[in-house]
Amino acid sequence: MSLMKSWVESANRADSPFPLNNLPYGVFETAELEPRCGVAIGDMILDCQTAEEAGVIAVSDVALFDVPFWNEVMEEGSALWAALRTRLTEILAEGSADQAAVESMLVPQADATLHMPILVSEYTDFYAGKNHAFNVGTMFRGPENALPPNWLHIPIGYNGRASSVVVSGTAVRRPWGQLKGPNDDAPRWAPCARFDLELEMGAIVGTSSDGPITVQEADDNIFGYVLLNDWSARDIQAWEYQPLGPFQAKATATTISPWIVTKAALEPFRCDTPAREKELLPHLRDCGPMLYDIDLSVTLAPEGKKATTITRTNYNMMYYSAAQQLAHHTTSGCPMNVGDLLGSGTISGPTKPERGSLLELSWGGKEPLTLDTGEERCFLEDGDTLTLHGAAKGDGYTIGFGACTGTVLPALDDPYKR
């Protein structure tokens, strides 16, 4: 597929992350408009509420855009998703008869503030990147025991907190917690000293299910994807995670990018998961290309200083696809809800420059990372701004996600000291 031309000229630039091929969904407000659903096109946003009220995108008998989130659209199902995308393409395409009516419904992105695009129902984070799992396991158990015995058979995950999922641009405060070093006799109460990022993708469930579903059904149920930073307090995690896994170490915040890139926009970029070292059981076996070729990178900017690209990798490095993760999630009969968010797990490539966390890049703090400013980092410092970037590259166009950004604020004064 090549670039689809739009009458919104900025959407036709080669460097635009939001061409007509993309049409990602978000929520925005301006000084004049209350928060509402919008569609990114070039450097503009289509006001969906106004467009629906004017009958321009009336694809349902009920109002879908009188609320500032996309859950209502998701609940209508995949047939409506397709109809909406077709209609949006029609009204924004070059030569559209609707141009004159729609022009007044566009808002400059520069004038807009972006909000959470969905109401997150539940949040589950997986540990499904083999390079990341091997690196972390090697640090703590040695290469011969790096992967747990179950890792090559099921996508491992844990249930996180939907309440702490935030949109790009939200500052993240360094957490307090119990810390215990390997040579300490007892834990101590202190701010996290090994705060980290995890470069992930997030899959948004658009169709509910009430019982086990197949991998193909799971893929059909996914509405779209976002970039996701799973902020991680490594020192809190090291003390608490045995035997039930991450808890408070992962509950501070999870940041997502503001635009949902639909599965339909990503269709040209489908690719296969890696070759299996062990055959999966039938309910998890691949049934076609379920991953996507999406270039990913992360920049780190110390306070008031320029950013350094600290890693570059690709979503195609995942061992398990989002569809396999979702299918596995349902095997116990666990209901899945519209608006559920699934974190992929840290995405790392096989070489050091492709590692998706500072834990890996600094090898547990033993190999500090040198920034372009000359400063070193083993883990995040106060004032650091992390930005995740993602783009699928087509024939003369780019499918972008928008930045996924967060700045680390200093820990509060001891919240229990009275």
Side-chain angles (χ1 to χ4, degrees):
M1 181 181 289
S2 57
L3 174 69
M4 300 167 63
K5 289 293 188 71
S6 171
W7 54 262
V8 181
E9 288 300 327
S10 59
N12 301 327
R13 294 198 303 257
D15 61 346
S16 173
F18 305 126
L20 189 60
N21 305 64
N22 193 350
L23 301 180
Y25 301 150
V27 170
F28 74 101
E29 71 171 320
T30 68
E32 294 78 28
L33 299 174
E34 294 181 347
R36 59 193 55 212
C37 292
V39 176
I41 178 71
D43 57 12
M44 308 295 284
I45 302 173
L46 173 66
D47 178 350
C48 291
Q49 181 176 330
T50 299
E52 182 180 58
E53 290 170 351
V56 174
I57 54 170
V59 292
S60 173
D61 293 334
V62 299
L64 299 175
F65 297 111
D66 57 348
V67 291
F69 44 79
W70 283 84
N71 298 57
E72 299 289 323
V73 172
M74 292 190 285
E75 286 178 354
E76 291 294 312
S78 58
L80 183 134
W81 306 349
L84 176 61
R85 181 173 175 82
T86 296
R87 181 58 182 149
L88 289 168
T89 302
E90 287 174 353
I91 67 174
L92 293 169
E94 188 177 63
S96 171
D98 297 288
Q99 178 176 346
V102 174
E103 281 180 322
S104 63
M105 302 173 188
L106 295 179
V107 175
Q109 289 191 33
D111 296 341
T113 299
L114 301 178
H115 296 283
M116 283 287 294
I118 62 168
L119 299 177
V120 180
S121 297
E122 308 280 354
Y123 169 54
T124 301
D125 189 38
F126 284 88
Y127 185 56
K130 184 168 181 274
N131 295 308
H132 172 71
F134 184 82
N135 287 338
V136 174
T138 297
M139 281 183 231
F140 295 104
R141 295 182 296 274
E144 64 283 354
N145 296 307
L147 296 179
N150 58 355
W151 201 94
L152 294 172
H153 297 274
I154 57 172
I156 298 171
Y158 69 92
N159 288 316
R161 293 289 300 172
S163 62
S164 59
V165 179
V166 298
V167 73
S168 174
T170 305
V172 176
R173 192 170 293 279
R174 183 181 299 275
W176 284 74
Q178 283 198 18
L179 316 180
K180 183 182 181 298
N183 299 317
D184 296 337
D185 293 330
R188 57 192 173 87
W189 173 248
C192 168
R194 292 163 69 91
F195 205 35
D196 200 359
L197 78 139
E198 288 192 344
L199 168 60
E200 302 191 22
M201 295 289 296
I204 295 172
V205 177
T207 304
S208 61
S209 56
D210 190 14
I213 61 176
T214 66
V215 172
Q216 183 60 62
E217 289 169 335
D219 187 65
D220 293 340
N221 286 5
I222 293 173
F223 182 65
Y225 292 81
V226 292
L227 304 177
L228 186 149
N229 183 358
D230 176 27
W231 301 86
S232 301
R234 300 300 186 188
D235 40 7
I236 297 173
Q237 183 177 356
W239 171 234
E240 75 173 7
Y241 85 104
Q242 297 285 6
L244 296 181
F247 184 42
Q248 291 304 96
K250 301 279 193 171
T252 299
T254 299
T255 302
I256 65 170
S257 51
W259 297 106
I260 303 170
V261 175
T262 63
K263 191 175 58 178
L266 292 172
E267 282 300 313
F269 307 98
R270 281 189 180 267
C271 59
D272 291 317
T273 48
R276 301 293 168 193
E277 294 185 31
K278 295 183 181 294
E279 186 175 19
L280 297 175
L281 292 178
H283 68 285
L284 282 178
R285 286 179 191 159
D286 300 279
C287 58
M290 293 290 176
L291 279 181
Y292 300 95
D293 179 7
I294 302 172
D295 290 330
L296 301 168
S297 64
V298 179
T299 59
L300 189 161
E303 186 171 11
K305 299 179 181 178
K306 69 176 183 178
T308 299
T309 299
I310 60 173
T311 189
R312 295 183 188 276
T313 187
N314 193 291
Y315 185 44
N316 62 18
M317 296 290 176
M318 297 305 298
Y319 193 80
Y320 295 101
S321 68
Q324 288 170 314
Q325 293 168 354
L326 177 55
H328 178 62
H329 209 321
T330 70
T331 54
S332 65
C334 173
M336 301 302 293
N337 302 313
V338 171
D340 281 351
L341 176 65
L342 307 182
S344 63
T346 306
I347 304 166
S348 295
T351 67
K352 185 172 183 177
E354 299 172 279
R355 295 173 183 171
S357 67
L358 282 171
L359 177 67
E360 297 167 87
L361 287 165
S362 72
W363 207 250
K366 296 177 182 178
E367 302 172 8
L369 183 72
T370 302
L371 306 180
D372 293 345
T373 60
E375 300 168 71
E376 292 185 340
R377 288 290 186 278
C378 291
F379 294 96
L380 298 174
E381 296 189 6
D382 294 344
D384 285 350
T385 296
L386 270 295
T387 304
L388 279 56
H389 308 267
K393 303 295 178 62
D395 180 12
Y397 69 96
T398 297
I399 301 294
F401 289 76
C404 180
T405 298
T407 299
V408 180
L409 299 179
L412 296 169
D413 294 336
D414 188 341
Y416 297 109
K417 190 174 183 179
R418 301 286 190 262

